[in-house]
Amino acid sequence: MLHQTANAAPAEVRTQRGAHLRPYALPAAVLVTCGVLAASLFIGVYDVVGGERGAEMFAITRIPRTIALVLAGCALAVSGLVMQMLTQNRFVDATTAGTTEWASLGLLVTVLVAPAAGLTARMIVASLAAFVGTLVFLAVLRRIAVRTTLVVPLVGIMLGAVVSAFTTFLAASTNSLQMLGTWFMGSFTSVVRGRYEVLWVVAIVTLLVFLAADRFTVAGLGRDVATSVGMRYELVVFTGTALVAVAAGVTTVVVGFLPFIGLVVPNVVSMIRGDDLRSNLPWVCLGGVLLVTVCDIIGRTVRMPFEIPVSMVLGIVGSAVFIALLVRRRG
């Protein structure tokens, strides 16, 4: 008894200390994220501090690139959280549900049918294709009796593989394989002033998710619970799917394929803080921004003056975390 009491006392003290420091956790995370973003502004081949046209290059490339990192990381992480709530599965996001593959198909069709179409038109078609693809994924899920933790993302991965195969065949038939490869290789290299502004649309998506967080939380409890409290379940699912599709479509058009952000960040935040969606949202946003920015900095510095696409670094990090989550869930 004395031994248990002696162990319990330090644990209680640690809990009290943790509770005391908890109010400072979010501001500290914001400061860390801002520090990484500030570092991102000054990392690159061109010397923006001492270079002849440093200030101009800073305004044309570094600031737009950093803003794009914030918007894309935030939107993809939040959309992954929404997907997980709607499907009631922690291993679902835009990449494991096939949403990004549908967005790429829509983007390719736009380029083939209307080569002169601008970024806005491509963004709209890619978002519509992503929306249709996500609805197909949800419709298939409803017809599957066994919906275990692993079956749901496997269904999405298989559907995405089918769509990706068709997209590749279509690109090969039209001599567009090189262009398709560029899209799938997500990178912020081409983000400059005048070519990223449509990404502000995903900021609106993130804001709408914040406003509808409680509804997504109730919808995540299942159709029966949601309808029993008077919620229009189908409308909430439709709205969430549309927001995820817009986030996936816009980011695919501007920066390409960014894997695992929506899968890794919400799961890590949930492991640390629990499942309160509304209180987790700021942390999910910060986590998405931090992850994509750190991976982008690694891609820029590891082979300088060359640059490794951020999707490659994200793929390595995301795969490792995904496997760790599977092992942890099995244990």
Side-chain angles (χ1 to χ4, degrees):
M1 179 65 72
L2 290 175
H3 179 70
Q4 291 177 350
T5 305
N7 286 340
E12 185 178 352
V13 171
R14 286 196 296 271
T15 303
Q16 291 175 352
R17 287 176 179 172
H20 177 69
L21 295 175
R22 202 168 297 157
Y24 303 101
L26 187 59
V30 172
L31 287 176
V32 170
T33 306
C34 290
V36 174
L37 290 172
S40 172
L41 287 170
F42 296 96
I43 292 177
V45 177
Y46 196 88
D47 184 7
V48 295
V49 177
E52 184 180 354
R53 301 176 60 186
E56 187 179 358
M57 292 295 292
F58 187 77
I60 293 175
T61 62
R62 299 292 173 78
I63 292 178
R65 181 171 187 147
T66 304
I67 294 175
L69 287 168
V70 172
L71 295 175
C74 193
L76 290 177
V78 168
S79 63
L81 181 60
V82 172
M83 283 289 289
Q84 290 164 20
M85 296 300 295
L86 296 182
T87 60
Q88 298 176 287
N89 190 293
R90 293 192 181 280
F91 297 108
V92 174
D93 77 332
T95 55
T96 59
T99 304
T100 51
E101 283 79 1
W102 280 89
S104 298
L105 176 60
L107 181 57
L108 177 62
V109 170
T110 308
V111 172
L112 295 179
V113 174
L119 274 178
T120 304
R122 296 180 183 184
M123 178 188 72
I124 293 173
V125 177
S127 299
L128 288 174
F131 179 65
V132 172
T134 309
L135 289 180
V136 170
F137 169 67
L138 294 176
V140 172
L141 277 186
R142 291 181 181 179
R143 294 181 176 277
I144 295 178
V146 180
R147 296 176 58 178
T148 62
T149 302
L150 296 180
V151 166
V152 174
L154 281 177
V155 170
I157 291 171
M158 287 189 290
L159 287 174
V162 173
V163 176
S164 178
F166 177 74
T167 306
T168 303
F169 172 76
L170 188 60
S173 304
T174 55
N175 295 323
S176 305
L177 268 181
Q178 186 175 0
M179 184 170 54
L180 186 66
T182 304
W183 292 338
F184 271 106
M185 192 169 291
S187 173
F188 289 86
T189 307
S190 60
V191 174
V192 294
R193 189 171 63 193
R195 283 189 52 83
Y196 82 98
E197 284 76 2
V198 293
L199 266 180
W200 284 107
V201 173
V202 301
I204 300 174
V205 170
T206 305
L207 176 62
L208 292 176
V209 171
F210 268 89
L211 294 176
D214 293 335
R215 295 182 180 277
F216 291 135
T217 301
V218 177
L221 299 176
R223 179 197 298 270
D224 294 338
V225 175
T227 53
S228 67
V229 297
M231 175 181 289
R232 297 175 65 181
Y233 177 78
E234 299 294 344
L235 178 61
V236 174
V237 172
F238 183 88
T239 304
T241 304
L243 294 176
V244 171
V246 171
V250 173
T251 52
T252 300
V253 169
V254 178
V255 296
F257 183 63
L258 301 177
F260 292 117
I261 298 176
L263 177 66
V264 170
V265 176
N267 274 288
V268 172
V269 171
S270 178
M271 286 168 55
I272 297 173
R273 294 181 43 82
D275 293 325
D276 185 353
L277 185 145
R278 178 168 288 282
S279 67
N280 282 353
L281 273 175
W283 288 94
V284 170
C285 290
L286 288 174
V289 173
L290 194 60
L291 176 63
V292 73
T293 306
V294 169
C295 289
D296 185 62
I297 291 175
I298 293 173
R300 274 187 271 175
T301 55
V302 72
R303 284 284 293 165
M304 195 177 279
F306 303 103
E307 183 172 328
I308 297 175
V310 66
S311 61
M312 190 178 297
V313 184
L314 279 171
I316 297 172
V317 175
S319 300
V321 176
F322 185 51
I323 293 172
L325 291 172
L326 288 176
V327 172
R328 183 177 183 273
R329 178 59 62 92
R330 185 179 178 182

